């Protein structure tokens, strides 16, 4: 049997390369083989850090008897959803249309033309075997019915991509979106809705911007409470920093232990801005700890890898949970008792087998003692089996991390964070940008073949705009424009002003995805709109601003009633409605207090540049001299400017 996954760049595909299932990579050759054999295609979609993907692999895909049936009756194709989000989007829509829900592992049976006709998620071994046999029987004996079913599913998938009516994303829409979020706000535990609870980072970014514009104290209180509860619960790693993917309960106590780059990149922005806007000791602490986690655990010397697995040695959470006896063994009886109280470790436990996930409902009174205990526990934890690492670098997620690092680094005057952001941006520009087009993934510094999708162009363009602001280097602004021009030329729907998730010259799937709602990461349309807003503010580019407004208009109808799923779009809308602020500091001193004040007090969504008057490659510094030999701040909103100021007090007043 040929090992067709041996050369795959995806760690998820590499996990399956030795399965007895004769996996194919997603390719025209796989579908040609299905046509040659006249058998259905089994499309199995997952990702490397997915716990239940591992379970189904151990139960079924590693089982010789199951593999024999699968190989005989289907052409099996294994897909990494993070490497091919376009493929995942099409078949996830089909799965949700057929079953009312989705998730991973995703199990889809399709015709040799790729049209899905039976969809599901995880199946236990016996049920999976029966399903494969039943599907093969239906394909053989009830072909007409199967084809009718596939045609109906494809029609449903294509209808999902139809765009709602366009409506300007105005103040009424943004207030309605915020109101829908507040209606589902959990006043006791924070967050929105019930279990399972995912970190609502994009909704929180939106609400922070909404608060700055409207001064709605209830909105700020909800953000602050949610951030406190998330950071003090078990979903946050109390020893090493970094958030897990989600909490399985409604109290943020027990996480699904995988740690994703995109969650931590977006939450870094939330906690940084919470501290800037409202003053938050927890916000400041968590932001610094996330940066340390990103730098130490996820950066591979090229870019940021995708994730840490939920499992270690095949057991979920093995690395992270503790019993009272384990604490006592590492710390001794006295410090063990103190740590048990502080970290909520009980004999009953909060996880499996009497173990507890560490929580920290209160800050310790003795910070030095906590630092010592934390250090000792981390050292002991390092001797345990460690979670596997998904080592692929995804362009969009690295873009989110770069933007977060720049916002953090400029707010807290952290040159190391800025340097890491610039280094990673340089890797994306030098490796992922090939012949003017983005590639989505790389691994160990080597770029893969999958083409970038819309979220890659949006998130990376926004990141390049952020690096331009931090460095004053016009190269990054030029690169951002190049990416946005590709998005406008190849992804935009001229009829509506919206965007497709794949380029017009990309591989044709059974439907062209065009999702306007946020999922785990910003929708591609939202990411591009945010980048267009930022770029237009940095360049006075009215054409790009108009494109952002048109794109956001295609989301407004959904945003007004489902703010929870359009947070990033609404955050971009808030930036537009606040101006966005355009702040230029003409100065010969990079450490000028006006620069620090501008970054700390700037409303979220604002752009900030600093440097010598008329600095090359920095449009906002053009024609903006020093006044009386003093550093001078120029503050504009929506291309309308106030009088320049030279005092710190006047700048802070303008930004307030």
């Amino acid at each position: 049997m040929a090992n067709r996954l041996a050369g795959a760049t995806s760690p998820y595909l590499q996990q399956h390369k030795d399965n007895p299932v004769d996996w194919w990579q997603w390719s025209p050759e796989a579908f040609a083989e299905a046509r040659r054999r006249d058998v259905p295609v089994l499309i199995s979609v997952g990702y490397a850090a997915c716990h239940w993907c591992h379970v189904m692999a151990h139960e079924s895909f590693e089982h010789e008897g199951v593999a024999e049936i699968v190989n005989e009756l289907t052409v099996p194709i294994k897909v990494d959803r993070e490497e091919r989000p376009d493929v995942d989007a099409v078949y996830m829509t089909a799965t949700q249309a057929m079953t009312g829900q989705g998730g991973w592992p995703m199990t889809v049976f399709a015709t040799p033309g790729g049209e899905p006709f039976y969809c599901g998620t995880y199946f236990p071994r016996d049920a999976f075997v029966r399903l494969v046999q039943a599907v093969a029987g239906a394909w053989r004996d009830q072909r007409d019915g199967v084809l009718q079913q596939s045609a109906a599913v494809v029609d449903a998938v294509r209808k999902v991509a139809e765009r709602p009516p366009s409506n300007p994303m105005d103040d009424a829409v943004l207030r309605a979106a915020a109101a829908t979020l507040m209606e589902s706000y959990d006043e006791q535990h924070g967050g929105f809705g019930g279990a399972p609870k995912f970190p609502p980072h994009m909704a929180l970014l939106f609400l922070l911007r909404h608060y700055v514009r409207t001064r709605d104290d209830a909105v700020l209180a909800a953000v602050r409470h949610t951030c406190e509860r998330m950071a003090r619960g078990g979903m946050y790693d109390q020893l090493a920093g970094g958030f897990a993917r989600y909490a399985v309960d409604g109290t943020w106590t027990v996480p699904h232990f995988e740690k994703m780059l995109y969650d931590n990149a977006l939450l870094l922005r939330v906690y940084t801005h919470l501290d800037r806007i409202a003053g938050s000791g927890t916000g400041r602490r968590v932001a610094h700890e996330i940066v340390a986690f990103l730098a130490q655990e996820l950066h591979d010397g090229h870019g940021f890898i995708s994730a840490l697995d939920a499992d270690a040695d095949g057991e979920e959470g093995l690395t992270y949970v503790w019993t009272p006896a384990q604490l006592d063994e590492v710390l001794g009886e006295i410090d063990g008792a103190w740590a048990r109280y502080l970290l909520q470790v009980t004999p009953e436990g909060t996880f499996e087998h009497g173990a507890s996930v560490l929580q920290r409902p209160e800050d310790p009174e003795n910070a030095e003692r906590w630092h010592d205990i934390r250090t000792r526990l981390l050292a002991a934890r390092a001797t345990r089996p460690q979670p596997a690492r998904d080592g692929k670098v995804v362009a969009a997620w690295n873009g989110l991390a770069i933007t977060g690092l720049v916002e953090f680094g400029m707010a807290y005057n952290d040159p190391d964070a800025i340097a890491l952001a610039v280094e990673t941006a340089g890797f994306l520009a030098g490796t992922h940008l090939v012949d003017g087009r983005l590639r989505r993934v790389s691994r160990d510094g080597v770029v893969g073949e999958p083409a970038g999708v819309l979220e890659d162009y949006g998130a990376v363009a926004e990141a390049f705009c952020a690096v331009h602001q931090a460095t004053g280097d016009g190269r990054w602004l030029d690169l951002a424009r190049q990416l946005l021009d590709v998005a406008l030329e190849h992804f935009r729907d001229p009829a509506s002003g919206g965007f497709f998730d794949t380029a017009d010259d990309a591989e044709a799937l059974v439907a062209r995805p065009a999702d306007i709602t946020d999922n785990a990461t910003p929708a591609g349309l939202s990411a591009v709109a945010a980048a267009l807003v930022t770029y237009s503010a940095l360049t006075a580019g009215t054409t790009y601003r108009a494109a952002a407004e048109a794109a956001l208009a295609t989301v407004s109808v959904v945003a007004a009633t489902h703010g929870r799923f359009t947070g990033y779009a609404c955050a971009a809308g808030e930036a537009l409605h606040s101006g966005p602020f355009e702040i230029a500091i003409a100065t010969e001193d990079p450490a000028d207090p006006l620069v620090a004040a501008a970054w700390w007090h700037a409303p979220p969504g604002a752009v900030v540049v600093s440097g010598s008057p008329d600095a090359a490659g920095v449009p906002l510094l053009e024609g903006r001299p020093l006044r009386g030999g003093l550093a001078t701040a120029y503050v504009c909103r929506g291309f309308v400017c106030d009088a320049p100021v030279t005092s710190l007090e006047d700048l802070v007043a303008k930004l307030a």
Side-chain angles (χ1 to χ4, degrees), residues 30 289 299 417 435 457 624:
E289 290 174 358
H299 204 272
D435 298 328
Y457 283 86
R624 286 175 165 164

Side-chain angles (χ1 to χ4, degrees), residues 406-494:
V406 168
E407 292 176 349
F408 169 90
M410 297 305 291
Y412 295 109
N413 190 26
D414 187 330
D416 291 337
I418 299 299
L420 188 57
V422 174
E423 175 189 345
T424 306
F427 173 71
L428 292 182
T431 302
H432 281 247
L433 193 55
V434 179
D435 298 328
R437 302 290 286 269
L438 274 177
R439 299 277 184 88
R440 179 160 175 84
V441 295
S442 65
R443 189 178 182 197
D444 298 328
V446 179
V447 73
E449 291 298 324
V453 295
L454 186 63
E455 71 163 340
D456 296 306
Y457 283 86
V460 175
E462 188 176 23
F464 286 170
C465 287
V467 174
H468 167 74
Q469 294 174 71
T471 64
D473 187 342
R475 172 197 179 211
W476 299 109
L477 202 57
D478 289 340
L479 286 170
R481 176 188 52 77
Q482 292 175 33
L483 296 181
L484 292 173
D485 285 348
V486 171
L488 291 169
E489 180 180 355
H490 291 287
F491 291 82
R492 195 180 190 197
D493 176 9

